[in-house]
Amino acid sequence: MEHIVIIGNGIAGVTAARHIRKKSDKRITIVSAETDYFFSRTALMYVYMGHMKFEHTQPYENWFWKKNRIELVKAYVNAVDHQNKKLVLADGNFLNYDKLILATGSKPNKFGWPGQDLAGVQGLYSKQDLDQLEANAPDKETCKRAVIVGGGLIGIEMAEMLRSRKIPVTFLVRENSFWNGVLPAGESAMINEHILEHHIDLHLGTNLVEILADENGRARAVTTDKGDTIECSVVGLTAGVSPNVDFLKESGIELGRGIKVNRHLETNISDIYAIGDCAEQHEGIGQRRPIEAVWYTGRMMGETLAQTICGNKTEYKPGHWFNSAKFLDLEYQTYGWVFSERGMKENEQHFHWRDDKEKICITIAFNKDTKQFLGINTFGIRMRHEIFDRWLTEKCDVNHVLEYLKDANFDPEFYSKYEHKIVSTFNSEFGTSITPKKKSWKRIFSNA
Amino acid sequence: MKTIQNIGIAIFLLGLGIFAALPFLGSFKLDQSTFDEIVTEKRIKSEIFTADMQQNVVGKEFTGMIDLSSKISKALEYANATHVKNKEYKKKIYTKSSEMASLIGKRSGTGYIANNKGIMWFLSFGIGIIGALLFIIPQVVTLGKKGIKNDGVYHQSSTNKGWIAWLVFFFLVSFYMVLYFGSQYAVNWTYLVDPISESLSGNPAGHWFVYGFMYCTIMSVMAVRMYIKYRHNMYQIVRTTSVLFFQIIFAFLIPEIMVRLQMPYYDFKNAFPLDYDFFFQWNLKSLLDSGGIGLFILVWGVVLTLVIVPVMVYFFGKRWYCSWVCGCGGLAETLGDPYRQHSSKSLFSWKVERWLIHGVLVFAVVMTGMTLYSFFTETSTVFGIKTSSIQNLYSLAIGSVFAGVIGTGFYPIFGNRVWCRFGCPLAAYLGFVQRFKSRFRITTNGGQCISCGNCSTYCEQGIDVRAYAQKGENIVRSSCVGCGVCSAVCPRGVLKLENGPEEGRINPTEILLGNDVDLMELVNKK
């Protein structure tokens, strides 16, 4: 029986395992040094905040793996010996494979800051990081202040976590507005306001210079390029992640920043594949980046590779881009491409609307010349994935999107509706006379 | 703010303490004329009982119910035992000793509590309410900006099965034990609400009136908490208002006012088989003897269960009843909200749930079948089994122990919908309709789920919502009561409760939306 070994029990590896099991009888082994069972990495923050216990982040009960004949090995892989088709484990054992799937995820970036390895300095990615934060910052008496370096999704999550225990947080963001490399200015500005409302000490346009140690080798303060010295007990380094591939350096597997794969998720070595955060496409697919450290793409690669492993060779073809996040109390969803001013394409035009009272806004991107709808960002309004996916496939124009915007609304019942305000703003900005159509079940489910 | 809240807790605990101490306090003195009245009213023919009472109870002053109650029950048991031995069955007294004690207690209360009802009400209910609100209202500020506020749920003793939770458990279970099995200890409580009862129905309060009044009070206070906690979520606000309305108006006020108007006591929203004694002989007789209104209630009760309930479930899901109208649901969604995360999501619990809830439904239907057969054929047994003993068994095991003691008492440990999930026969019936013929579903938003588990954790009905959401499948489950909290706590906007076309409501998928379209079609059509 063919033995499929998967390194990494995150969403990519586990999805691959589940789908291979559905389609075949192959022997499946998942190797991970992080935890005994699969858990949702994106939910770690809720454990620290007390919304859930760690066991709640595990999507499958513990009997699931045995029942589905997925063997779990808790071990760290030191090296891959592809000539003999075996893994060298840190405990000295070996594990043979017929096909190997690398799904090792990411690790937090460290950019060589002085003091970055001091006690009290940490990233937030793994279960171990969570445990460490629990030790470093159990309460506001132990952790008098935390400084977070890096204005991305993990940074703001970490700030939210610490604030849930009333720990004062200083948030150093390199950009002059939060996440404005990704978000258009209006949205980024709204989040800046929201961060301040949550009593997070936001320092925009500020870089970390050095982390200072106390006599015990613990972080006691940071200095910034603005000349400030900020006393703190914990420093969170959240300046992005990079593929976790160091153990493959001598393996002969082609590496860039990540593990180089082709569209079939194959590496340069036969019978070795890479999926999820650690995989790097030779060229980005469509407007995507070569490495996509996103939950959804990890899952999709797992789904696709399972097809290939089970004999139905399938190219990795992610559909229309989508993503979501939550910034403190603000929900964010995106469908299609809306670029920030920095990354904006030549013919891309934006329509931005923000409510005058609530923290709610949307940005619609469309082609200046053809009016083709390119993408939408929404904050504080939930949208229907299927509808936008369809509109993107059908290359609808922006007027169509606005006319039928009510079909796409996914907010809970009885929520205030904003379509009329949005459309009338659009009409006055672009001289159109669109009237929003009533929501129609028939249209929503027409080809779903 | 913290100080105000602490003062609030202190005041609340004082009120609660006084309330909890009342069953052990008070003085009772039964005078001769009252005793004679009771003997006549209850048609007591046992001279042994009356003699015993004359000697040991009448004219004597008792402090606290414990002493009085034990004298009465001794007298009653001795008299009955003697009559049975002598085969004097006509003299046997069929009133239960706790009922007899509460009847006598209620008529013989003297002293401070019985004479200062208003002040005592304020010292228990009044300061309990004030204290609770002093704790709750500052949350407008302390919770911060509007949004999901579950910080620390698993760090606090009260909401993480710590010692506070066990204390609440102990208190609730004791309270229900008194209510169902020791009503004589509730006599002092009834004095507190006598003025309110008299102003509504014209009668002094019994222990069920205490329960009804307390139910409304607790729901109202905890509804304030809901309004603050979910102030960003209009669905929760409307739904909370709805359950509060139906509890106060339909379950509490209308039945009391009907009694004042010489009509039968009836809660128009309480549908059979949750209202399990609707077809009991005494109820049917009382309805048939009440003229036009009695007949109307009879027809309404039948139509409610057979037509209104299923039709509404078809259009809106069982949530219209379970989390918008029902009293049990109303308490679960207000008092029980802090405990919703304790429902077990294991596969094992789900198996237990299906056997138990459907078992209770079968039990209720069989019992009602026997009841109606006995009613129309005027026999007291079916296949040699006494109908009344089955009714008593149901009332005790399901009506009192399951729905009350376990259903509410176990909130802090097993979560707030123990009864609704494992026991309610009406929920089982609505569940069939919801699962097989309804427009209601919780829609999963394409491929947006990140498997975080907030939805499953906070599902009070123990549904593993995430198991569906992470596969891109809609949630169509008979047990879902549509509280809307899974949708509220979802950080990625994945879940929406909606009533849409039946077609495509159940949508098993293998590959989620967002992956390549050909691949999706290929595997999903297989």
Side-chain angles (χ1 to χ4, degrees):
Chain A
M1 197 166 25
E2 194 175 40
H3 188 193
I4 312 293
V5 174
I6 301 166
I7 307 179
N9 67 349
I11 178 65
V14 164
T15 305
R18 278 179 44 239
H19 282 262
I20 293 168
R21 174 52 70 241
K22 277 188 192 182
K23 279 179 252 296
S24 78
D25 225 15
K26 296 177 198 296
R27 183 178 167 207
I28 303 170
T29 303
I30 301 180
V31 187
S32 168
E34 187 183 14
T35 50
D36 293 332
Y37 302 105
F38 169 52
F39 69 95
S40 173
R41 193 170 300 290
T42 47
L44 285 179
M45 62 183 294
Y46 299 110
V47 178
Y48 179 87
M49 290 163 73
H51 294 206
M52 295 193 279
K53 292 203 245 182
F54 179 69
E55 68 213 45
H56 295 126
T57 68
Q58 297 174 171
Y60 304 98
E61 286 187 68
N62 294 348
W63 49 258
F64 174 89
W65 309 99
K66 199 170 179 188
K67 179 171 177 263
N68 290 288
R69 288 171 291 126
I70 296 171
E71 293 168 45
L72 304 177
V73 174
K74 193 167 186 190
Y76 186 84
V77 177
N78 270 349
V80 175
D81 174 0
H82 67 81
Q83 263 129 14
N84 299 306
K85 285 202 164 181
K86 68 180 183 189
L87 306 179
V88 184
L89 306 182
D91 58 15
N93 288 325
F94 299 96
L95 185 64
N96 293 303
Y97 67 84
D98 296 311
K99 288 200 167 98
L100 178 65
I101 300 174
L102 300 166
T104 54
S106 303
K107 59 179 185 353
N109 285 335
K110 289 183 175 182
F111 293 122
W113 291 295
Q116 68 182 17
D117 295 317
L118 292 171
V121 181
Q122 67 165 109
L124 185 72
Y125 181 83
S126 63
K127 171 67 165 59
Q128 285 71 24
D129 293 336
L130 175 74
D131 296 340
Q132 203 178 9
L133 189 65
E134 189 65 56
N136 282 336
D139 50 52
K140 64 177 196 286
E141 286 73 34
T142 313
C143 177
K144 300 257 187 282
R145 174 171 293 274
V147 173
I148 293 169
V149 182
L153 298 175
I154 301 179
I156 196 165
E157 277 182 9
M158 203 166 174
E160 183 180 358
M161 290 163 73
L162 293 158
R163 287 303 298 147
S164 77
R165 298 197 186 179
K166 307 271 186 288
I167 293 169
V169 172
T170 299
F171 192 13
L172 306 184
V173 174
R174 181 184 58 185
E175 294 77 20
N176 52 25
S177 179
F178 179 81
W179 221 34
N180 70 355
V182 177
L183 298 177
E187 298 172 348
S188 171
M190 191 172 86
I191 299 177
N192 292 340
E193 294 167 28
H194 193 60
I195 292 171
L196 293 171
E197 278 175 355
H198 279 259
H199 311 292
I200 293 164
D201 177 27
L202 177 65
H203 291 225
L204 292 169
T206 306
N207 287 292
L208 172 69
V209 172
E210 186 181 3
I211 305 168
L212 306 174
D214 65 9
E215 62 278 14
N216 303 318
R218 277 194 73 87
R220 65 163 177 88
V222 301
T223 58
T224 72
D225 61 354
K226 294 266 178 76
D228 294 325
T229 301
I230 304 162
E231 302 281 326
C232 61
S233 323
V234 170
V235 178
L237 298 179
T238 59
V241 293
S242 16
N244 177 23
V245 296
D246 291 345
F247 74 109
L248 296 172
K249 285 213 169 107
E250 315 296 324
S251 67
I253 299 168
E254 188 189 351
L255 302 178
R257 278 186 59 223
I259 304 161
K260 291 280 193 182
V261 292
N262 62 20
R263 287 294 292 269
H264 291 102
L265 304 167
E266 297 163 329
T267 66
N268 61 321
I269 312 271
S270 65
D271 292 336
I272 299 185
Y273 308 83
I275 54 176
D277 286 16
C278 67
E280 179 179 358
Q281 288 287 328
H282 292 291
E283 273 167 42
I285 300 168
Q287 303 192 62
R288 289 164 185 264
R289 294 180 200 170
I291 299 173
E292 288 184 308
V294 182
W295 176 270
Y296 309 114
T297 48
R299 191 191 64 215
M300 289 190 264
M301 287 185 228
E303 289 166 350
T304 310
L305 181 59
Q307 297 281 335
T308 302
I309 298 265
C310 296
N312 171 31
K313 193 162 182 176
T314 305
E315 211 176 276
Y316 173 53
K317 286 198 284 183
H320 301 294
W321 170 254
F322 69 97
N323 200 1
S324 61
K326 194 173 178 188
F327 304 98
L328 302 159
D329 292 322
L330 275 183
E331 284 178 26
Y332 155 68
Q333 290 187 333
T334 184
Y335 301 101
W337 292 111
V338 181
F339 290 101
S340 71
E341 282 75 5
R342 261 200 265 161
M344 221 151 139
K345 304 285 178 264
E346 204 174 304
N347 51 7
E348 181 178 339
Q349 187 170 6
H350 284 181
F351 162 65
H352 180 70
W353 169 88
R354 179 173 167 179
D355 191 58
D356 40 18
K357 283 203 291 291
E358 302 293 329
K359 288 250 169 342
I360 291 175
C361 74
I362 68 165
T363 304
I364 296 178
F366 58 96
N367 186 308
K368 209 180 289 185
D369 312 314
T370 65
K371 304 288 175 215
Q372 186 193 328
F373 169 69
L374 301 173
I376 184 168
N377 283 353
T378 68
F379 285 83
I381 302 182
R382 296 174 173 181
M383 292 289 178
R384 220 177 267 273
H385 188 176
E386 282 181 347
I387 295 286
F388 277 108
D389 196 74
R390 190 189 308 158
W391 286 343
L392 287 162
T393 302
E394 289 169 357
K395 298 186 171 27
C396 289
D397 68 30
V398 64
N399 293 10
H400 179 95
V401 169
L402 284 154
E403 190 171 352
Y404 296 101
L405 200 57
K406 287 183 180 181
D407 287 353
N409 184 293
F410 200 71
D411 273 339
E413 293 150 301
F414 306 111
Y415 269 44
S416 307
K417 301 278 188 284
Y418 296 92
E419 287 85 4
H420 286 275
K421 285 189 190 175
I422 294 168
V423 169
S424 78
T425 310
F426 184 86
N427 280 340
S428 67
E429 269 178 40
F430 295 94
T432 48
S433 52
I434 300 162
T435 16
K437 286 266 194 301
K438 251 185 80 183
K439 166 180 162 177
S440 148
W441 284 118
K442 220 173 146 192
R443 281 194 303 268
I444 292 171
F445 288 107
S446 62
N447 44 11
Chain B
M1 283 300 158
K2 202 83 203 149
T3 328
I4 297 178
Q5 286 190 308
N6 288 337
I7 294 170
I9 294 246
I11 294 178
F12 171 78
L13 288 176
L14 181 68
L16 187 71
I18 293 172
F19 183 83
L22 281 175
F24 307 103
L25 305 175
S27 45
F28 302 92
K29 192 175 176 187
L30 181 63
D31 59 37
Q32 187 63 51
S33 62
T34 313
F35 183 60
D36 292 342
E37 273 169 38
I38 292 172
V39 169
T40 324
E41 253 172 57
K42 284 267 150 192
R43 299 201 186 104
I44 294 170
K45 295 189 191 74
S46 166
E47 70 289 346
I48 300 175
F49 178 69
T50 37
D52 199 336
M53 292 289 287
Q54 296 283 8
Q55 198 191 332
N56 295 321
V57 178
V58 176
K60 296 203 165 60
E61 181 150 339
F62 290 87
T63 307
M65 178 50 78
I66 298 176
D67 205 12
L68 174 64
S69 166
S70 74
K71 289 253 158 47
I72 295 171
S73 83
K74 246 185 235 159
L76 194 86
E77 277 159 26
Y78 177 73
N80 278 349
T82 315
H83 294 313
V84 170
K85 203 169 75 188
N86 300 339
K87 305 216 159 98
E88 302 165 315
Y89 295 113
K90 287 207 167 139
K91 290 187 178 172
K92 194 181 165 194
I93 301 166
Y94 287 95
T95 308
K96 278 190 220 141
S97 66
S98 73
E99 250 174 74
M100 187 66 83
S102 48
L103 178 73
I104 293 171
K106 178 80 182 180
R107 304 261 189 103
S108 62
T110 58
Y112 192 83
I113 299 167
N115 295 324
N116 295 279
K117 294 172 176 173
I119 292 172
M120 287 312 297
W121 183 90
F122 180 78
L123 288 177
S124 53
F125 278 98
I127 65 175
I129 295 169
I130 293 170
L133 289 177
L134 280 178
F135 178 73
I136 290 168
I137 292 174
Q139 291 177 358
V140 176
V141 180
T142 59
L143 284 181
K145 289 273 149 192
K146 61 185 181 180
I148 285 301
K149 300 300 163 200
N150 286 331
D151 288 354
V153 164
Y154 276 99
H155 298 150
Q156 285 159 9
S157 168
S158 51
T159 50
N160 190 28
K161 301 188 203 173
W163 65 273
I164 298 179
W166 284 101
L167 264 182
V168 175
F169 161 80
F170 174 76
F171 180 80
L172 287 172
V173 168
S174 316
F175 176 74
Y176 277 91
M177 297 298 279
V178 168
L179 215 52
Y180 288 112
F181 308 112
S183 57
Q184 70 271 35
Y185 296 103
V187 165
N188 278 331
W189 293 337
T190 66
Y191 291 134
L192 316 179
V193 289
D194 268 344
I196 302 167
S197 178
E198 277 153 15
S199 71
L200 288 169
S201 68
N203 301 326
H207 64 289
W208 291 117
F209 186 86
V210 175
Y211 184 48
F213 179 77
M214 207 169 152
Y215 210 102
C216 294
T217 308
I218 289 175
M219 269 183 64
S220 306
V221 171
M222 290 301 280
V224 173
R225 176 187 165 279
M226 286 295 281
Y227 288 138
I228 295 169
K229 178 168 181 180
Y230 293 103
R231 63 190 189 274
H232 64 295
N233 190 315
M234 210 47 183
Y235 181 78
Q236 298 303 329
I237 289 173
V238 176
R239 192 175 61 76
T240 303
T241 310
S242 173
V243 280
L244 204 56
F245 170 81
F246 280 100
Q247 173 59 32
I248 295 175
I249 306 295
F250 279 76
F252 183 66
L253 290 179
I254 292 181
E256 293 294 332
I257 291 168
M258 284 172 69
V259 169
R260 159 152 292 196
L261 301 174
Q262 313 283 317
M263 293 174 183
Y265 179 99
Y266 184 65
D267 174 356
F268 281 93
K269 65 159 181 55
N270 197 9
F272 172 86
L274 176 60
D275 184 9
Y276 62 88
D277 53 14
F278 186 74
F279 293 107
F280 279 16
Q281 191 174 15
W282 58 264
N283 192 43
L284 290 184
K285 278 204 172 131
S286 123
L287 291 179
L288 291 172
D289 291 345
S290 307
I293 182 73
L295 215 58
F296 174 75
I297 289 172
L298 199 56
V299 174
W300 167 260
V302 173
V303 171
L304 180 63
T305 296
L306 293 183
V307 182
I308 301 177
V309 159
V311 168
M312 292 283 279
V313 175
Y314 171 74
F315 284 107
F316 305 110
K318 80 191 222 187
R319 56 181 173 154
W320 86 268
Y321 195 86
C322 297
S323 65
W324 283 71
V325 170
C326 180
C328 306
L331 193 69
E333 297 290 350
T334 47
L335 177 65
D337 181 70
Y339 308 113
R340 54 172 54 252
Q341 64 280 3
H342 296 320
S343 60
S344 164
K345 278 79 189 180
S346 69
L347 186 69
F348 174 75
S349 304
W350 178 64
K351 289 178 178 166
V352 172
E353 168 191 326
R354 289 190 306 164
W355 279 104
L356 260 182
I357 193 169
H358 297 127
V360 173
L361 177 62
V362 170
F363 190 2
V365 169
V366 169
M367 175 192 70
T368 305
M370 288 172 70
T371 304
L372 290 174
Y373 178 84
S374 295
F375 181 78
F376 287 113
T377 58
E378 295 183 353
T379 52
S380 61
T381 59
V382 180
F383 297 123
I385 300 166
K386 269 181 101 175
T387 303
S388 64
S389 58
I390 297 294
Q391 289 176 338
N392 290 341
L393 179 66
Y394 189 95
S395 305
L396 174 76
I398 309 298
S400 306
V401 175
F402 205 160
V405 180
I406 297 175
T408 308
F410 282 55
Y411 272 8
I413 309 302
F414 287 157
N416 57 335
R417 285 275 192 176
V418 176
W419 162 246
C420 314
R421 179 187 179 192
F422 293 100
C424 178
L426 180 61
Y429 164 47
L430 303 188
F432 282 128
V433 184
Q434 171 156 292
R435 173 64 183 75
F436 294 109
K437 192 72 191 167
S438 172
R439 293 166 59 84
F440 173 73
R441 86 294 308 273
I442 303 174
T443 303
T444 288
N445 200 10
Q448 286 278 23
C449 178
I450 53 165
S451 302
C452 71
N454 274 291
C455 52
S456 292
T457 305
Y458 286 92
C459 176
E460 55 189 357
Q461 285 286 48
I463 298 171
D464 190 358
V465 184
R466 165 176 57 191
Y468 298 82
Q470 68 189 358
K471 287 191 282 185
E473 275 177 38
N474 293 345
I475 294 97
V476 177
R477 277 283 289 271
S478 55
S479 62
C480 175
V481 292
C483 69
V485 167
C486 57
S487 162
V489 297
C490 177
R492 304 294 183 112
V494 177
L495 302 163
K496 178 171 163 66
L497 281 65
E498 52 188 4
N499 315 308
E502 279 182 82
E503 203 197 329
R505 185 173 75 120
I506 299 173
N507 59 338
T509 48
E510 199 161 315
I511 302 295
L512 278 74
L513 185 64
N515 213 341
D516 168 69
V517 185
D518 314 335
L519 182 61
M520 282 178 62
E521 281 178 2
L522 181 81
V523 289
N524 289 341
K525 277 198 178 138
K526 225 167 26 184

